[in-house]
Amino acid sequence: MNTSTMLTALRPIETARDRARRAIVTVLTLVLIAFPFLGNAFHGLGLDWDIGDDDVDSIANALAYATLALGLNIVVGFAGLLDLGYAAFFAIGAYTYGVLTAFQVLPPWSSFWEPFAMLGLVQKYHQEAGDLVHFTLSFWIALPLAAVIAAACGVLFGLPTLRLRGDYLAIVTLGFGEIVPIVFRNVPYVTNGAAGLNGVMAPTLFGFNFRVDPTPYYYVGLLLTALLIFISFRLRDSRIGRAWMAIREDETAAGAMGVDHVKTKLMAFAIGAAFAGMTGVFFVAKLQTATPDMFGFPVSVMILVMVVFGGMGSVWGVVAGAAVLSLLQSWFLPSLTQWAHAIGASLDNAWLQQVDFARSTELIFGIILVVMMLYRRDGLIPATRKQHALSFEAQNVQGVRRGGFEPAATAKVLGDLPRQSGNLLEVRGVTVRFGGLVALNKVDIAVPAGGVVAVIGPNGSGKSTLFNVITGLVPADGGSIRFDGAEVLGLKPYEILRLGIARTFQNIRLFANLQVIDNVMIGQHARLRTGLLGAVLRLPAARAEEKAAQVRALDIIALFGNRLAPRLTQVVSALSYANRRRVEIARALATRPKILLLDEPTAGMNPAETLELAEQIDSLHKQGLTILIIEHKLDVVTRLADTVVVLDHGEKLVEGKPDEVRRNEDVLRAYLGRAATEAAHAA
Ligand code: ADP
Ligand code: MG
């Protein structure tokens, strides 16, 4: 199986389900486009089905919720950042448009405003006491402006807080969500306080004023939703989207694979906020009023429920979730209430006659959410599909290869490794303490360029800590680590990766809910350039880069032959243990490393698999890759390493050739205990 046939395998195979889904989307889109006129059409057919302004307005509201859900989905679904105060950005967008069009802020007129008046941004407002300035920002300018302002607020708010994870972030966002409406309530000269802004301008388009007719708003909402769906998909399937998901799956591993997590999270926050900002403009223009309590905690929760209900991370899912829950509220619950009253009247049941389901929306949403969590946790339309096991044929599309990687293919994957002499990596006197525990005590290790150094030692001797300090995951309490002439200590994990240090983890840290190919693609993150704009517009440069990255990922996966090649699109969590180890090595190779740090790569593998992997590591070495490996199996160590370093209780015990180390008394003692050594001597 070569790369081009694998590329075909990557192209999604259109299943009956895909066709059905596309048909549904097409039909729904057509129905939605025609919807405001369906009432007339029904009348023309002699049917007495009425579609009134109320119904059009209900759907316009549902569309506003859909755009909010799409934005929150980027934050919560893609990047995995639990945001409980998302409505704050909705409020910021709403007030941007509200303040700049309502008759609230009216500074005195002066010639300063003349140019703005010519641009149509302000008008002279005649008053007895003197002329005032009335802001008349166009709705169409307000949409992008609010997006930018909300995104900027997202960045400002995110900078200090996004270092927090999980629950802490949730609490802080909750606070932010509470603060924003309070601020709007307490600057009455700008926002008219709790009473809110009135007389917000209706949009005009080519001289046509929208006023209070829901139909034009409906179409604007439809276009906005379509645009945000498009952007969501473009971002999801890009370098940025993959980085978001990497952070969601495992922030530590994402950092070690070159993802700058603060920047990446800020992007998610900013884009999510921008979506909400635009929706705020739309919503307030439609209502022509804005009050602080339109944007409180219940709104944030409602949007979150829509996202969870629809399927976190699923673009169509969250749109469906928003539509269903919003229409449930505006259509279904009032109808249900009427039926209940009618049934109550005929049964003479007092409770049924008085019940009002629309007033218990929160309760009903809560129940729906609980039921959903019990029976369909992935939401209405899950983001990832269930995987089926491969058939026997599919598993063997490529002949079984035992032994090392093919030299030419390996050389291609590794690229030009500088053939240099001297030490590539030098660890000098590094100490790491965890409280009172000294995990590493003044350790010196040198890895010559092109060499293989093995680190052995009993459990808890500090081997993994050595890797962690080299890759920036734990800080050092002294010493220096130089790589390729540069000091590494003090750099962030993603900066260290960019220098060319890649690693695997002892307890495999893959992006478990992503496919094999995506895991390997994320490995290339630091070597690719595409940013937000490139991802959304998908210009030729971005397209070419993505294609090349895909080909390279397939080249890397192809090294492992039919172990991985038939499983390109499998979710990693479904793979066997040995295959997960292979994917982790593939992901590390994708980062274009100069040195590869392998932490017990053969742990949990059977003897045949161990031998295969040892051969593969050897073929990487033969192509010039420098390797530092932690390994327990002494035959692997002897087979691969030029130099063996033995750690014990955080100190370097011995360093030497594998054979020397193998016979060393101290090493035997450290590994087997004194009694066993003596027994060995006695024998
Ligand atoms: P090895 O990989 O050689 O088995 P480690 O480097 O994982 O050992 O651990 C060395 C010692 O440091 C152990 O005693 C371990 O409990 C401790 N240790 C490792 N990481 C941490 C941490 N993040 N916090 C506290 N103690 C740690
Ligand atoms: Mg370890």
Side-chain angles (χ1 to χ4, degrees):
M1 196 160 167
N2 59 24
T3 308
S4 68
T5 45
M6 281 164 75
L7 262 179
T8 347
L10 264 190
R11 222 168 285 145
I13 304 154
E14 185 152 284
T15 58
R17 204 160 137 189
D18 291 322
R19 275 195 294 274
R21 189 178 289 183
R22 209 175 43 216
I24 292 174
V25 170
T26 315
V27 170
L28 268 180
T29 311
L30 292 176
V31 170
L32 281 172
I33 291 173
F35 185 78
F37 303 100
L38 282 184
N40 290 342
F42 288 145
H43 284 300
L45 293 172
L47 293 167
D48 193 22
W49 294 343
D50 220 20
I51 290 179
D53 281 354
D54 286 0
D55 300 315
V56 175
D57 192 54
S58 293
I59 297 198
N61 283 335
L63 291 170
Y65 276 118
T67 54
L68 288 171
L70 283 166
L72 187 60
N73 183 47
I74 287 179
V75 181
V76 182
F78 289 174
L81 307 167
L82 185 51
D83 182 350
L84 294 181
Y86 183 66
F89 300 114
F90 183 32
I92 288 167
Y95 272 90
T96 301
Y97 182 63
V99 169
L100 291 179
T101 63
F103 288 83
Q104 182 62 38
V105 185
L106 300 165
W109 179 267
S110 68
S111 57
F112 170 79
W113 297 103
E114 298 283 1
F116 295 99
M118 278 194 285
L119 288 172
L121 298 175
V122 299
Q123 274 172 4
K124 200 186 277 188
Y125 180 42
H126 294 289
Q127 281 310 56
E128 299 274 314
D131 291 344
L132 299 175
V133 179
H134 174 215
F135 293 102
T136 53
L137 182 71
S138 153
F139 174 77
W140 310 105
I141 298 174
L143 278 178
L145 179 70
V148 170
I149 291 177
C153 291
V155 170
L156 280 183
F157 169 68
L159 264 178
T161 55
L162 283 179
R163 250 167 300 149
L164 303 172
R165 298 186 192 185
D167 308 348
Y168 298 102
L169 182 66
I171 300 287
V172 174
T173 51
L174 179 75
F176 181 65
E178 288 301 286
I179 288 168
V180 168
I182 291 177
V183 169
F184 286 141
R185 192 168 289 139
N186 286 297
V187 284
Y189 36 94
V190 183
T191 62
N192 199 22
L197 294 166
N198 285 309
V200 175
M201 241 168 49
T204 50
L205 187 63
F206 303 121
F208 167 72
N209 192 319
F210 285 20
R211 293 182 205 286
V212 288
D213 177 5
T215 308
Y217 294 101
Y218 172 91
Y219 284 109
V220 171
L222 210 53
L223 281 176
L224 195 60
T225 312
L227 175 73
L228 299 191
I229 289 175
F230 173 79
I231 295 178
S232 295
F233 275 121
R234 278 282 166 99
L235 287 176
R236 186 195 69 176
D237 300 330
S238 75
R239 169 174 175 265
I240 307 293
R242 286 192 299 267
W244 284 338
M245 290 180 215
I247 282 181
R248 177 189 76 197
E249 295 294 316
D250 187 333
E251 196 170 325
T252 305
M257 287 301 119
V259 177
D260 173 349
H261 61 104
V262 172
K263 192 172 151 198
T264 310
K265 286 179 177 181
L266 278 180
M267 276 191 218
F269 237 64
I271 299 288
F275 281 23
M278 285 201 270
T279 314
V281 174
F282 170 70
F283 201 70
V284 161
K286 191 163 81 62
L287 277 184
Q288 289 163 22
T289 166
T291 61
D293 45 85
M294 278 158 56
F295 309 102
F297 180 60
V299 179
S300 293
V301 172
M302 177 123 107
I303 304 164
L304 189 63
V305 169
M306 287 167 173
V307 170
V308 173
F309 174 73
M312 278 203 268
S314 158
V315 175
W316 289 124
V318 300
V319 172
V324 169
L325 291 186
S326 159
L327 293 180
L328 185 80
Q329 197 180 2
S330 56
W331 278 353
F332 183 65
L333 291 183
S335 312
L336 193 68
T337 306
Q338 283 179 4
W339 292 335
H341 290 183
I343 294 170
S346 63
L347 294 180
D348 204 18
N349 179 318
W351 182 77
L352 271 182
Q353 286 183 59
Q354 285 164 14
V355 70
D356 184 358
F357 292 110
R359 285 237 214 113
S360 325
T361 326
E362 268 109 19
L363 175 70
I364 292 167
F365 277 17
I367 294 170
I368 290 176
L369 202 59
V370 169
V371 171
M372 209 64 187
M373 286 302 102
L374 287 176
Y375 296 105
R376 199 177 162 96
R377 218 161 294 170
D378 294 339
L380 275 184
I381 307 178
T384 47
R385 298 204 189 153
K386 293 275 165 291
Q387 301 280 317
H388 299 286
L390 290 182
S391 68
F392 184 74
E393 290 75 27
Q395 290 193 31
N396 292 290
V397 284
Q398 184 169 15
V400 179
R401 269 181 67 90
R402 293 278 177 260
F405 298 140
E406 193 161 318
T410 317
K412 187 174 166 210
V413 161
L414 290 178
D416 291 331
L417 289 166
R419 303 267 167 183
Q420 57 205 83
S421 55
N423 290 332
L424 187 60
L425 179 71
E426 273 184 3
V427 178
R428 290 272 166 263
V430 165
T431 300
V432 174
R433 289 191 203 95
F434 296 112
L437 179 96
V438 184
L440 287 178
N441 191 7
K442 301 206 179 86
V443 171
D444 297 319
I445 290 176
V447 186
V452 179
V453 174
V455 179
I456 65 171
N459 281 331
S461 57
K463 305 181 297 297
S464 297
T465 304
L466 174 69
F467 275 24
N468 289 343
V469 74
I470 295 173
T471 53
L473 295 181
V474 302
D477 297 285
S480 96
I481 299 177
R482 296 191 76 76
F483 176 74
D484 215 1
E487 179 62 49
V488 163
L489 276 186
L491 296 184
K492 301 251 160 39
Y494 65 86
E495 296 169 322
I496 295 172
L497 178 115
R498 279 182 205 161
L499 296 177
I501 302 182
R503 69 171 294 176
T504 64
F505 292 87
Q506 181 175 354
N507 45 352
I508 310 183
R509 301 189 78 145
L510 285 168
F511 308 118
N513 291 311
L514 303 184
Q515 300 173 351
V516 171
I517 178 81
D518 288 331
N519 272 271
V520 180
M521 290 292 277
I522 290 165
Q524 302 188 65
H525 182 86
R527 309 295 175 214
L528 305 178
R529 295 273 71 84
T530 305
L532 280 177
L533 215 57
V536 173
L537 301 180
R538 221 178 261 177
L539 295 174
R543 210 182 278 264
E545 182 185 82
E546 184 74 5
K547 181 78 189 285
Q550 222 171 42
V551 169
R552 193 174 123 76
L554 296 179
D555 282 343
I556 295 168
I557 292 170
L559 285 179
F560 292 86
N562 81 330
R563 300 285 193 191
L564 296 183
R567 298 182 171 78
L568 281 182
T569 56
Q570 293 233 325
V571 170
V572 164
S573 59
L575 295 181
S576 73
Y577 189 78
N579 268 340
R580 274 183 264 166
R581 286 236 176 260
R582 293 185 183 106
V583 174
E584 212 188 13
I585 295 175
R587 185 180 69 175
L589 290 177
T591 67
R592 294 193 183 275
K594 292 184 188 147
I595 187 172
L596 184 59
L597 273 49
L598 298 166
D599 195 343
E600 304 199 18
T602 70
M605 286 191 172
N606 67 31
E609 289 169 334
T610 302
L611 191 64
E612 179 184 323
L613 189 64
E615 294 294 327
Q616 291 170 339
I617 295 170
D618 193 46
S619 36
L620 293 172
H621 163 56
K622 285 206 182 97
Q623 296 303 324
L625 187 63
T626 311
I627 292 169
L628 181 61
I629 178 173
I630 297 173
E631 186 51 71
H632 276 304
K633 295 175 185 164
L634 278 182
D635 44 342
V636 176
V637 171
T638 320
R639 166 85 184 71
L640 291 174
D642 317 320
T643 311
V644 178
V645 174
V646 186
L647 288 184
D648 188 27
H649 295 294
E651 305 205 12
K652 188 161 91 175
L653 199 62
V654 191
E655 175 173 345
K657 299 251 167 288
D659 280 339
E660 297 162 22
V661 170
R662 220 172 168 155
R663 285 192 304 268
N664 188 297
E665 290 254 338
D666 293 334
V667 176
L668 289 174
R669 198 176 303 125
Y671 259 105
L672 304 170
R674 187 179 297 275
T677 338
E678 279 158 5
H681 274 272

